[in-house]
Amino acid sequence: MTHLDAVVAGGGPAGAAAALVLARAGHRVQLLDDGGPGRAGFKGRDGFKIGEFLPPAVRPLLADLGLLDGFLASGHPVSTGTYAAWGSARLHGRSHLFDPYGHGWHLDRVRFDAFLRDAAVAAGAELRRAVVLARLDGGLVVRERATGALSNLSARWTVDATGRRCVIGRRHGIRRRQDRLVAAYAVFPDGDPEARTLVEAVAGGWWYTTLVPAGRLIAYLTDNDLVEPTLRTPQGFREALGRTEHVRRRVARRGPGSTPVPRWTPAHGLRLEPSAGPGWVAAGDAALAFDPLSSQGILMALHTGARAGKAVADCLADEGRTTAALADYTAFLDGIATAYRSNHAYAYDQERRWPLSPFWGRRRTAISH
């Protein structure tokens, strides 16, 4: 049994940020990352990891974490804005030119996540290639990535940054789903070099495409009960793509036979309630997951991870502060969730071209309630 001040389960942006904050506060913290290339919906077989945009507003946070200079030097491609056919068939552009924080970035997520983990390790966190299986009687059961062996970890506090799996938090709270949104996506090795992300609404959902290090990402978002069976095949995915007006042009040079097998991942909004309790807190998608339309997922993972790390550090420094620290963290999440719901409702309310569509009808019903 290894005794630690804190264990952070999950080596993505939320987990790395939490481990970084805890280590800098002088606590012995272990960051668990499975290090594997193949979890469905997270890391693809080609090393691609979905979740590829970082908005300009991340700059102050990265600066506060002491990571901005290192991030800027890492050379992630610049995002100058977006195009959207939303609310009408006409394509509208939105530039970051007038954003007070400047431009955003198209992330190489595998490299970005490694950068964050390296920063946590440099601050004093211990990186362990293992995955959490369960939290029992205050301890964690983990499986080592290299050997498959099981072991126990004892820690005063645990941060659940295991994403939508929410391995620890789901034992303590209720997970409230916003809807049934899923994403089908494929990465094409080449295509149009246009760097701006493009979003296009269609009757059954919406598409988006952007450049990633592996090529061009094409994704279709719809509800899981509305998925046509053919969409799960390369031919069906390509035929559906071919019915778009704008997104299809980004891969027009490639023939149908070159379409990859589409992958699938959950994309619905999600909230864990409560998101913290005695001895544990949840961060990132484990606490609060966003619809990809927001383009805020990685930013919020970093914010919640850093705040979760601070909350745990406060509890470790003074047990008498535990109730207040957890209440502050919960209030922080509540504020994010309230703003997200408002922005989400507003964005979907802008699209009214298909009044009989179940996909859009459900979102109008949700707005009215």
Side-chain angles (χ1 to χ4, degrees):
M1 184 80 77
T2 301
H3 296 275
L4 301 159
D5 291 325
V7 169
V8 179
L20 174 68
V21 170
L22 281 161
R24 285 183 177 165
H27 300 294
R28 187 183 178 194
V29 55
Q30 202 164 87
L31 175 61
L32 306 184
D33 177 62
D34 73 353
R39 290 206 313 272
F42 292 83
K43 300 176 185 175
R45 293 179 293 276
D46 56 6
F48 168 75
K49 186 173 183 180
I50 200 166
E52 63 290 327
F53 177 70
L54 197 60
V58 77
R59 284 177 181 265
L61 175 59
L62 290 179
D64 289 344
L65 293 173
L67 302 177
L68 182 58
D69 290 343
F71 171 71
L72 294 177
S74 60
H76 292 275
V78 167
S79 171
T80 58
T82 60
Y83 290 114
W86 193 277
S88 75
R90 182 182 175 186
L91 204 58
H92 299 271
R94 179 180 178 184
S95 172
H96 293 321
L97 180 63
F98 301 107
D99 192 296
Y101 297 111
H103 59 74
W105 294 269
H106 296 291
L107 292 179
D108 178 341
R109 275 296 305 284
V110 174
R111 187 158 57 89
F112 179 68
D113 289 5
F115 163 74
L116 295 174
R117 289 192 296 270
D118 289 346
V121 171
E126 304 169 20
L127 181 62
R128 183 171 183 170
R129 297 297 186 184
V131 60
V132 174
L133 300 181
R135 182 175 186 258
L136 302 172
D137 299 325
L140 298 177
V141 180
V142 302
R143 182 174 60 222
E144 306 298 332
R145 171 70 181 176
T147 65
L150 301 182
S151 58
N152 294 328
L153 285 177
S154 176
R156 295 169 63 188
W157 282 85
T158 302
V159 178
D160 185 347
T162 58
R164 290 175 181 268
R165 294 186 302 141
C166 194
V167 173
I168 297 160
R170 70 194 310 162
R171 296 176 57 87
H172 302 281
I174 298 173
R175 307 178 80 200
R176 302 190 185 280
R177 289 180 49 157
Q178 183 179 21
D179 49 40
R180 291 172 274 191
L181 194 68
V182 293
Y185 66 96
V187 179
F188 292 77
D190 56 25
D192 191 298
E194 169 60 57
R196 288 197 186 190
T197 297
L198 189 156
V199 177
E200 180 176 352
V202 295
W206 55 277
W207 292 79
Y208 83 93
T209 180
T210 192
L211 289 179
V212 297
R216 176 163 290 280
L217 171 68
I218 303 284
Y220 177 54
L221 288 292
T222 188
D223 289 337
N224 58 4
D225 62 323
L226 303 179
V227 174
E228 299 176 6
T230 57
L231 195 62
R232 300 185 181 277
T233 67
Q235 180 180 356
F237 186 84
R238 185 56 184 250
E239 290 176 352
L241 171 60
R243 293 192 291 270
T244 65
E245 176 63 26
H246 304 287
V247 175
R248 63 183 173 85
R249 302 179 191 278
R250 295 290 190 260
V251 290
R253 291 180 294 176
R254 299 187 61 83
S258 63
T259 304
V261 177
R263 304 173 196 168
W264 293 81
T265 186
H268 54 269
L270 192 64
R271 176 74 193 271
L272 174 69
E273 296 180 336
S275 294
W280 71 278
V281 298
D285 281 356
L288 184 63
F290 285 1
D291 181 322
L293 186 64
S294 72
S295 298
Q296 300 290 308
I298 307 303
L299 174 62
M300 287 301 103
L302 290 168
H303 265 300
T304 59
R307 288 294 292 262
K310 181 182 184 302
V312 172
D314 288 347
C315 295
L316 287 167
D318 181 0
E319 290 186 0
R321 279 271 302 146
T322 297
T323 299
L326 296 185
D328 287 346
Y329 180 62
T330 299
F332 168 72
L333 292 179
D334 288 343
I336 292 176
T338 298
Y340 163 71
R341 286 193 299 268
S342 176
N343 293 334
H344 180 273
Y346 175 80
Y348 276 98
D349 192 45
Q350 302 310 296
E351 182 53 83
R352 302 188 178 190
R353 284 179 286 168
W354 299 282
L356 300 182
S357 161
F359 179 87
W360 298 101
R362 289 166 180 172
R363 282 146 183 85
R364 283 191 295 274
T365 300
I367 291 170
S368 67
H369 286 80

